[in-house]
Amino acid sequence: MNFLVKLIVGCLILTIVRNDVYAQQMAKIKIDPDRTIGEISPLLYGNFVEHLGRCVYGGIYDPESFLSDEDGFRKDVLDAAKDLNITITRYPGGNFVSNYHWEDGVGPTRVPRMELAWSRLETNQFGTNEFMAFARKLGTEPYFAVNMGTGTIEEAQRWVEYTNVKGQSYYANLREEHGHPEPYNIKYWSLGNEMDGFWQMGHLNAEDYSKKAREAAKLMKLTDPTIKLIAAGSSNYRPFADPNEWNATILKELRDVVDYLAIHMYVGNPDDNYYNFLSTPLVMEHRTKLIKGLIDVEMQKADRGERDPIYIAWDEYNVWYRARRGASSRGERALEEQYNLEDALVIAGFLNGFIRNADVVKMANMAQLVNVIGPMFTNEEGMFRQTIYFPLQLFSQNMHGTSLDVYVDCDTYDTDEFNIGLGEQVTRQSDVPYLDVSVAMNDDEIIISVMNRHLTDEISTDIILQEGAYMGEFEVMEVNGPDVKSQNTFGSEIVQTSQKNNISPGDNEFTYVFPPHSYTMIKGKIER
Ligand code: AHR
C-alpha cells in the first residue's frame, strides 16, 4: 500500500516536472521579401548623454580615474559603447537642458551653477567641446538639444553659430579661440525637451511652445540652413494630460518647419506582473500609430517642398521605475536602475516595435548611456554591461536594410488593467502575442528577430520563406538567463548574448524552438 502511494506520488511529480520541461506551443512565421514596410534608419540605434547623476561625471568622463585616457574619458566605457555601435547621441539633456546655458560650458573659465532639474552642482567642466571630443572618439553623430525653457531663441542661434559656422563671426571666432578652428557641423537639433511636462523648467502650453520653437527654428536655420530640427512631442501621459492634443497642435503649427517629432516613453513593472510588463512595448507601438495618423493629416496640408515628411524620433525610451522613488531620483546617484532579464526582453520588444514601424520611426535613443538608467554601469574599479545592453547591441550590429511586414501566427494573452509606469495612465492590452517578431532584409541577408514572451513554454516555430530560398547555414544568437529576475553585476554578466549552434534550414522552411523568456536573432542568406 505504502509502495503504491509512493508510486502514484512519484508518477505525479514526474508528470509535473516533464510538463515543466517540455511544455511547448506551436507557431508560424511567414516571410515575404516583397512585403516591405520601409528602410530601417541607422539612427534607430541612438543613445543619450545627460548631465544627470553619474552619466557624464564618473560615467563617460572621469579625468582623475586610472581607467581614463589623456582627455579624461573612461576607456572601458568608451570601448563598450563602441561595441554598441551607437549611431547618434543626444546631449546635454533631458530636463537638465531647460535651464542650461551653453556658454557656461565652453572656454577657459567654467562657472559652477546650481543644477535645478536633478539637484546637483554643475561644475561645467564638461561642455560642448568635451562632448564633441567624446562623440568623435565614439564615432557617433551628435544631436544637440537647445534650452527652450529658461533659454532664449537668441541663445539657441548662438549655439548653432558657435558649433557650425566657419568665418569671421563672433561665435565662430570664439570657438576658434577655444582651440577648435573647424566647425563641427552638428546636423540634428531638438527644440527643447519635454515641453509638455509640468515638471519642465519653463514649461509652456502647446501654442506658446510652438511660437517659441518656430522663431528659434527660424534663427537657427538662418545660421545654418542644413540642420535638421526635432520638435518636442508628447512625454506627459499622466491621467489628466492630453498628449495627442499636444502632438496635434505641435504638428499643425510646426508642420512646415521641423523634420521629426520627439516622443518619450518609460515603462515599469510597479506591480511585479511579468506578463503585464512584457506587453508594454505594444503601448509604444500603439502611440506610434496614433502619431503617424496625426502626421499624415498635417502632411496633406504642409508646404515642405522636396523635404521628407515629418518622422517620429523616440528620442528617450527605456525601462525606468525602481530608481525613481524618493531620494534616489536626485543627486549624484540619481536614477541608477539595476536591470534584469525581463527588462532586457522589454527592450527587445521596443526595438522590434521600431523596426515594425520603420516607415515612420526614423530615430530612437535609449536613455541613457551609462549609470543613469543605462546599459552600462561603472564604479572606480571598472564597469559591467547591464542586461539591456545585449538586445540593443544585437540590433545595432545586425538589424539593417528594409523592414518586412511578416505574418505571425501564435498564441496570445490578455493583460489586467495596469500602470505602465509610475504616474502614467492605466492600460489594458488584449491579444498580446507570445512571439514578438520583426524581420529585416539587407541585400541577400535576412535577419529574424524574435522575443518569446512566454515565461515557461518554449515555442516551436515554422519559419517559412514565401519567395526564394534559404542559403547555407544560419547563425543564431540568444539573450537569456536562468531567471527573468537575473541581473548582471561587476564580474558577473550572467545575462548576455550566447552564440548557439548554426542551423541549416531547408529550401524555404525550417523549425526553430524559441526557449521561454528569451530573445533570439537568426540571420543568414537567401536567394531570390
Ligand atoms: O532620462 C531621464 C529624464 O527623463 C530626462 O531628463 C527627461 O527628459 C525625462 O523625463
Side-chain angles (χ1 to χ4, degrees), residues 202-222:
H203 160 59
L204 297 169
N205 67 28
E207 287 75 19
D208 290 344
Y209 167 67
S210 301
K211 279 185 213 153
K212 187 169 180 180
R214 188 189 298 111
E215 294 311 304
K218 188 191 290 172
L219 269 66
M220 291 163 77
K221 280 259 190 184
L222 285 169

Side-chain angles (χ1 to χ4, degrees), residues 61-218:
Y61 186 68
D62 198 349
E64 306 302 314
S65 169
F66 74 97
L67 292 163
S68 294
D69 69 11
E70 64 290 354
D71 296 317
F73 298 115
R74 281 278 297 250
K75 286 184 282 189
D76 50 350
V77 173
L78 204 48
D79 286 347
K82 280 182 186 159
D83 286 344
L84 264 186
N85 185 30
I86 300 165
T87 45
I88 185 163
T89 305
R90 184 168 174 250
Y91 174 80
N95 295 341
F96 168 80
V97 82
S98 293
N99 193 31
Y100 178 59
H101 301 288
W102 66 269
E103 286 189 61
D104 290 341
V106 294
T109 315
R110 303 293 173 97
V111 196
R113 300 264 186 211
M114 278 179 79
E115 202 293 285
L116 302 178
W118 304 106
S119 303
R120 298 164 33 249
L121 184 76
E122 174 53 60
T123 63
N124 282 307
Q125 201 188 346
F126 189 97
T128 303
N129 295 305
E130 289 75 22
F131 177 76
M132 286 310 298
F134 172 74
R136 284 179 169 175
K137 286 190 187 206
L138 182 56
T140 191
E141 175 96 41
Y143 164 22
F144 276 29
V146 301
N147 176 355
M148 286 284 99
T150 65
T152 64
I153 60 175
E154 187 181 45
E155 184 180 7
Q157 179 279 326
R158 289 174 174 177
W159 207 2
V160 179
E161 184 180 323
Y162 182 86
T163 56
N164 287 14
V165 171
K166 188 170 174 67
Q168 294 309 307
S169 76
Y170 177 80
Y171 285 98
N173 284 342
L174 193 64
R175 186 195 61 245
E176 282 210 49
E177 271 171 39
H178 294 163
H180 307 280
E182 289 307 313
Y184 294 120
N185 297 322
I186 294 163
K187 186 169 166 193
Y188 296 91
W189 293 82
S190 80
L191 300 163
N193 174 70
E194 296 191 348
M195 295 302 293
D196 64 331
F198 58 83
W199 57 88
Q200 204 63 215
M201 294 177 283
H203 160 59
L204 297 169
N205 67 28
E207 287 75 19
D208 290 344
Y209 167 67
S210 301
K211 279 185 213 153
K212 187 169 180 180
R214 188 189 298 111
E215 294 311 304
K218 188 191 290 172

Side-chain angles (χ1 to χ4, degrees), residues 6 39 105 120 130 205 220 237 274 409 467 470 477 505:
K6 277 185 189 157
E39 286 307 297
R120 298 164 33 249
E130 289 75 22
N205 67 28
M220 291 163 77
Y237 284 78
Y274 171 83
D409 180 17
E467 197 206 281
Y470 295 124
M477 292 148 290

Side-chain angles (χ1 to χ4, degrees), residues 48 50 52 90 93-96 118 193-194 199-200 264 266 316 320 324 335 367-368 372-373:
F48 177 32
E50 177 169 7
L52 195 180
R90 184 168 174 250
N95 295 341
F96 168 80
W118 304 106
N193 174 70
E194 296 191 348
W199 57 88
Q200 204 63 215
H264 293 177
Y266 293 99
E316 283 187 35
W320 169 27
R324 197 175 225 174
L335 277 53
Q368 304 188 3
V372 173
I373 45 174

Side-chain angles (χ1 to χ4, degrees), residues 254-266:
L254 299 178
R255 66 188 177 213
D256 298 337
V257 176
V258 299
D259 301 286
Y260 298 81
L261 185 72
I263 316 293
H264 293 177
M265 183 167 178
Y266 293 99

Side-chain angles (χ1 to χ4, degrees), residues 25 107 295 360:
Q25 300 190 2
I295 292 175
V360 65

